[in-house]
Amino acid sequence: GAGLTGSPLLIAVVRALLRAGAQVTLTQPDSIAAARDEAREAVASGRYDAILAAGGDGTIRQVAASLIGSGASACVTVALFD
């Protein structure tokens, strides 16, 4: 996909999360497979309360599928389109 780096919508979402007191870790995987792997690793680390994925339908579908059965208490995937 084209990615959302610099997307005004993504920037607004991150800013809103930060204003609300959330700690945000951003990654920019170079493929859908990498996004899926990063989501699994994030859940396995136990360091995150929520996983948010921004991208097109392929990215969202793959990240969401990778979180099914992960045992994570809160996982969220969000499609962001500009």
Side-chain angles (χ1 to χ4, degrees):
L4 291 172
T5 302
S7 158
L9 181 54
L10 181 57
I11 292 168
V13 168
V14 170
R15 286 183 178 159
L17 289 168
L18 292 171
R19 278 193 307 271
Q23 294 181 0
V24 177
T25 301
L26 296 173
T27 66
Q28 187 177 356
D30 58 7
S31 68
I32 290 175
R36 183 181 55 232
D37 293 342
E38 286 186 21
R40 283 188 192 135
E41 290 169 12
V43 169
S45 77
R47 294 179 47 217
Y48 302 98
D49 295 321
I51 306 296
L52 287 101
D57 60 341
T59 301
I60 300 304
R61 181 176 52 252
Q62 290 296 316
V63 171
S66 74
L67 299 175
I68 294 171
S70 68
S73 59
C75 296
V76 179
T77 57
V78 178
L80 294 178
F81 300 96
D82 274 337

